[in-house]
DNA sequence: TCAAAAGTGTTTTCTGTACACCCATGC
DNA sequence: GCATGGGTGTACAGAAAACACTTTTGA
């Protein structure tokens, strides 16, 4: 999700949303506030990514950026028009425009983090609606990891973890056999974690 | 490695070494400089850990800390007396004194990072001398991960990776059969990585 | 009736784990 | 000669990987 800058430097260029930390808020709070102010996104997975501190990364003055990344599913969190930024839009990470400042580097590091983390923590579900099909989940992993997965083996593995609740519902509005819907059981995950269980794809 | 503070607040208490980033240096550079100034340590593995930004973490004023962690082997990097800190000393992480500021939390996060990272990146070698025995390596993993490992399986696994160079040397000054020494082959590791190899313990 | 994706088991291969004894060395 | 850690192989079990066809549905 990028915003188009309406002020120099890098005017008219796309950039990551962001802003300054206030003296009376933590940086976690600031990240959440900025995200909300610039995109309308709320109640999403948000985690500190990395802190960027090269001396010339902003041409105006010395700026240190503590970058955060959020995971969002587009169906349940629509973008709202906001006042801060002139324009906000979603991009495919395989078709990014050129970015302001060192934001391309920040995106690279975020993708690397996601790729690493998605394999051993159940954060992939943040990118899907609450109810999803196993094929959607598989496609998600195939996209993030950049590999093709075997359908039968994938289902076997995921279902054996006992983290998915099989619902009595199916997809609607598809032009083929409707797939069963599942839900991720976060409570069960935390419970299993206590006992030494490790999520792994 | 902790230093004893000689100024308030938390005077006389143990704390992580640290200091302020200068306007003309990157935060990476600042971390390296502070480490060198306060402990004499140079040319060690140093990586950004996490940025701490709670509003009241320093009683004097608002301070944001970008924490770094270093991995050091004590045999090859002796501590030097320095002027900045009144005293510097190594502690076992299982016997830490109470720490100034939120440094106990920082240490906890560093240990968690090490525990996670040591399993899928070959950073454990940073904690050993260049030449080491397989038993030393095993003990290191057992200590960091907090588990006991099977000697035969551990050796089998490590040697099969082809990342260790078997030297024509053995330990000296031990009161039992001297163990063969090995070296980690970083070049080979990077070469294998290119081909999709993943280090994993 | 066709297209499109859902759903389902078995076999083979590989990897992880469990396990015990002899060897070399210094004291 | 004894204490101490060094060094070695095999068998079993469980996990991962390979693989193809039938079913359901809407258009």
């Amino acid at each position: 999700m990028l915003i188009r800058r309406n002020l120099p430097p890098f005017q008219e260029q796309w950039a990551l949303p962001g802003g300054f930390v206030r003296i009376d808020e933590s940086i976690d709070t600031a990240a959440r506030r900025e995200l909300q102010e610039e995109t309308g996104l709320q109640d999403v997975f948000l985690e500190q990514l990395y802190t960027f501190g090269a001396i010339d990364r902003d041409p105006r003055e010395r700026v240190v950026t503590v970058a955060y990344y959020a995971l969002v599913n587009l169906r349940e969190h629509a973008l709202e028009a906001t006042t801060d930024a002139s324009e906000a839009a979603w991009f495919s990470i395989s078709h990014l425009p050129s970015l302001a400042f060192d934001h391309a580097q920040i995106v690279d590091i975020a993708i690397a983090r996601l790729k690493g983390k998605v394999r051993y923590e159940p954060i992939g579900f943040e990118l899907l609606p609450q109810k999803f099909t196993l094929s959607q989940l598989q496609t998600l992993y195939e996209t993030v990891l950049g590999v093709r997965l075997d359908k039968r083996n994938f289902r076997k593995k995921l279902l054996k973890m006992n983290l998915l609740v099989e619902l009595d519902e199916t997809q609607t509005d598809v032009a083929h056999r409707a797939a069963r819907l599942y839900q991720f059981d976060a409570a069960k995950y935390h419970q299993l974690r206590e006992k030494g269980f490790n999520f792994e794809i």
Side-chain angles (χ1 to χ4, degrees), chain A:
Chain A
M1 212 290 310
L2 301 172
I3 59 166
R4 195 194 285 276
R5 290 180 60 80
N6 50 19
L7 290 174
F10 299 101
Q11 192 166 10
E12 303 301 316
Q13 278 212 52
W14 293 96
L16 296 170
F20 291 97
V21 179
R22 296 181 184 153
I23 196 70
D24 61 349
E25 68 182 356
S26 71
I27 51 176
D28 283 0
T29 304
R32 229 167 251 289
R33 177 181 52 74
E34 284 290 340
L35 182 65
Q36 207 279 321
E37 285 178 6
E38 298 205 2
T39 70
L41 292 170
Q42 279 188 71
D43 301 320
V44 299
F45 175 94
L46 184 68
E47 184 178 86
Q48 192 185 111
L49 176 65
Y50 194 78
T51 297
F52 297 84
I55 49 179
D56 56 355
R57 47 184 301 282
D58 187 315
R60 293 166 296 186
E61 57 176 342
R62 180 71 192 274
V63 175
V64 171
T65 287
V66 185
Y68 281 68
Y69 74 106
L71 300 180
V72 175
N73 78 80
L74 294 186
R75 257 169 268 277
E76 293 170 5
H77 299 274
L79 269 192
E80 288 168 24
T82 60
T83 50
D84 273 40
S86 53
E87 196 183 345
W90 288 96
F91 291 82
S92 159
I93 54 173
S94 52
H95 294 93
L96 286 185
S98 88
L99 299 184
F101 305 104
D102 56 356
H103 290 189
Q105 188 200 352
I106 297 179
V107 170
D108 285 346
I109 291 177
I111 292 167
R113 170 79 64 91
L114 177 61
K115 234 172 167 161
K117 196 148 186 161
V118 83
R119 293 193 48 221
Y120 58 89
E121 285 192 46
I123 57 170
F125 303 101
E126 305 289 340
L127 294 165
L128 291 179
Q130 260 203 1
K131 301 174 180 182
F132 51 84
T133 71
L134 292 180
S135 291
Q136 288 174 322
L137 189 60
Q138 181 178 343
T139 302
L140 185 142
Y141 277 101
E142 288 180 336
T143 306
V144 172
L145 299 176
V147 294
R148 305 250 335 137
L149 301 170
D150 180 88
K151 182 162 61 161
R152 278 176 288 196
N153 293 336
F154 181 80
R155 284 163 184 248
K156 222 181 304 173
K157 187 163 184 173
L158 264 288
L159 293 175
K160 206 196 295 186
M161 288 186 194
N162 272 323
L163 293 175
L164 299 185
V165 182
E166 182 176 329
L167 301 175
D168 280 331
E169 294 176 66
T170 58
Q171 277 181 315
T172 50
D173 299 321
V174 286
H176 52 78
R177 175 172 175 181
R180 180 174 292 273
L181 292 172
Y182 292 81
Q183 240 177 326
F184 175 65
D185 189 340
K188 201 157 193 176
Y189 170 65
H190 290 114
Q191 186 189 316
L192 286 172
R193 251 195 93 74
E194 300 291 310
K195 299 180 189 161
F197 167 81
N198 278 312
F199 183 87
E200 198 174 336
I201 296 292

